[in-house]
Amino acid sequence: MDLAYIPSPSTGVLNLGPVPLRGYAFCIIIGVFVAVWYGNKRWIARGGKAGTVADIAVWAVPFGLVGGRLYHVITDYQLYFSEGENWVDAFKIWEGGLGIWGAIAFGAVGAWIGCRRRGIPLPAYADAIAPGIAFAQAIGRWGNWFNQELYGKPTTLPWGLEISAGANREEGIYHPTFLYESLWCVGVAFLVIWADRRFKLGHGRAFALYVAAYCTGRAWIEYMRVDEAHHVLGLRLNVWTAIVVFVLAVAYIVISSRVRPGREEIVEPDRDKAAVVKRGTEEDGDGSEADAVSEEPEDAPGTLTGESTDEPAGNGAGKG
């Protein structure tokens, strides 16, 4: 008899009275919380202000969810728009279906908008949140476990995943690719944390390292999956995407390190102080405001340089 050490849940929904708590959505929410919390710690360590990461996440997270869903629906359009399918299901994000490539791309657009509104360089923000995103992905992958989706090929290994019979799936023991990717993402997060401390990465290179490292693992994990997917030249579409994005990320690290070596000295300008200085110079009175500004210390909070970018983290996105 086959024994699976990782049994799948009988249901992905826990009903708390009239309120359904979906495991997939719960994992996404917890992942976002961890990413913002840890990103905030790293941002403060870089000299930024508390709360800035959360303020920008208000833009980045909705954009990321829309982008992730769009990527999934576009690359798996046959699940929603072929004969016999209901196109309304394309909006049921709680049933699984988020593409990490679209989530990161659209999330970056949202983050760019948030950064522009606060006068913050996007690369510095991306460096701060990179490990947190990897931790969020590690947590989010457990949403696939709740939905019994995105597993690998059949296996007899003792850590196989037990899948029950259901729509578009056969009962059996399969490779738990969700677990493989979850563990890989944890490793990616710690790799970025270590490299950022060791080499003082800046100007988006910590984020690029996260992207490159994730793509490395995603390529071989994707190759193990057996769910329906489009193929190009014999390889799954997401494998090609991982290869292309990996090359772009490595190229960015090399070029950026030559063009803009080192790390940003100031990641979040003190905009409140700048406004006071401007008012002081425009004051037509006795110049008391300008004098008050001149008495402030030059080393205002939020301008740490050469510091470690973070502190040690504790432990710790479907289709993706």
Side-chain angles (χ1 to χ4, degrees):
M1 180 179 68
D2 291 329
L3 175 64
Y5 290 125
I6 310 177
S8 292
S10 58
T11 178
V13 182
L14 176 63
N15 293 308
L16 300 178
V19 180
L21 178 61
R22 301 182 182 277
Y24 183 86
F26 183 73
C27 290
I28 297 297
I29 293 172
I30 295 298
V32 170
F33 174 82
V34 169
V36 173
W37 169 77
Y38 190 58
N40 183 66
K41 290 173 64 68
R42 285 174 53 84
W43 185 250
I44 294 174
R46 285 288 305 274
K49 299 177 182 178
T52 295
V53 169
D55 290 344
I56 296 176
V58 170
W59 290 90
V61 172
F63 272 74
L65 291 175
V66 171
R69 187 60 175 177
L70 280 176
Y71 181 90
H72 165 70
V73 172
I74 291 173
T75 55
D76 285 305
Y77 61 87
Q78 74 280 356
L79 300 178
Y80 308 101
F81 302 106
S82 60
E83 184 178 356
E85 302 294 343
N86 187 358
W87 63 270
V88 176
D89 292 342
F91 297 96
K92 297 179 179 180
I93 192 173
W94 56 87
E95 294 183 354
L98 286 176
I100 186 61
W101 315 111
I104 294 297
F106 275 63
V109 174
W112 176 79
I113 296 174
C115 287
R116 288 275 294 182
R117 290 169 60 88
R118 297 185 67 106
I120 293 172
L122 176 60
Y125 180 82
D127 284 342
I129 65 173
I133 293 177
F135 283 133
Q137 287 180 252
I139 297 171
R141 272 306 177 199
W142 284 85
N144 302 137
W145 176 66
F146 280 102
N147 285 354
Q148 296 196 49
E149 61 184 359
L150 308 190
Y151 44 85
K153 301 174 182 178
T155 182
T156 58
L157 293 172
W159 57 82
L161 175 66
E162 184 178 20
I163 296 295
S164 61
N168 300 319
R169 66 174 186 255
E170 296 182 3
E171 181 179 0
I173 308 298
Y174 301 88
H175 277 286
T177 50
F178 85 92
L179 177 60
Y180 299 161
E181 186 166 337
S182 179
L183 295 175
W184 183 270
C185 287
V186 172
V188 168
F190 283 112
L191 171 65
V192 175
I193 293 170
W194 170 83
D196 202 13
R197 286 179 170 181
R198 175 66 177 81
F199 303 106
K200 298 188 181 300
L201 302 175
H203 301 287
R205 290 188 285 277
F207 184 82
L209 175 61
Y210 143 72
V211 172
Y214 171 74
C215 288
T216 302
R218 179 57 186 269
W220 68 266
I221 294 172
E222 183 74 22
Y223 188 75
M224 296 178 64
R225 283 168 38 174
V226 295
D227 54 299
E228 184 178 355
H230 295 287
H231 288 71
V232 178
L233 299 178
L235 292 179
R236 293 167 66 97
L237 177 60
N238 280 331
V239 174
W240 283 111
T241 304
I243 293 173
V244 172
V245 175
F246 171 83
V247 172
L248 293 175
V250 172
Y252 179 87
I253 294 173
V254 174
I255 297 173
S256 175
S257 62
R258 295 179 179 179
V259 175
R260 307 189 69 182
R263 175 187 287 172
E264 301 92 338
E265 293 186 356
I266 299 176
V267 297
E268 187 168 5
D270 194 335
R271 301 182 67 182
D272 294 336
K273 179 177 177 180
V276 172
V277 172
K278 182 177 180 180
R279 289 197 302 270
T281 58
E282 295 175 353
E283 179 67 32
D284 293 331
D286 58 5
S288 58
E289 287 188 15
D291 292 337
V293 172
S294 65
E295 293 176 0
E296 294 185 7
E298 293 182 0
D299 295 326
T303 59
L304 297 179
T305 62
E307 297 290 335
S308 171
T309 58
D310 54 78
E311 297 177 0
N315 287 337
K319 164 111 179 163

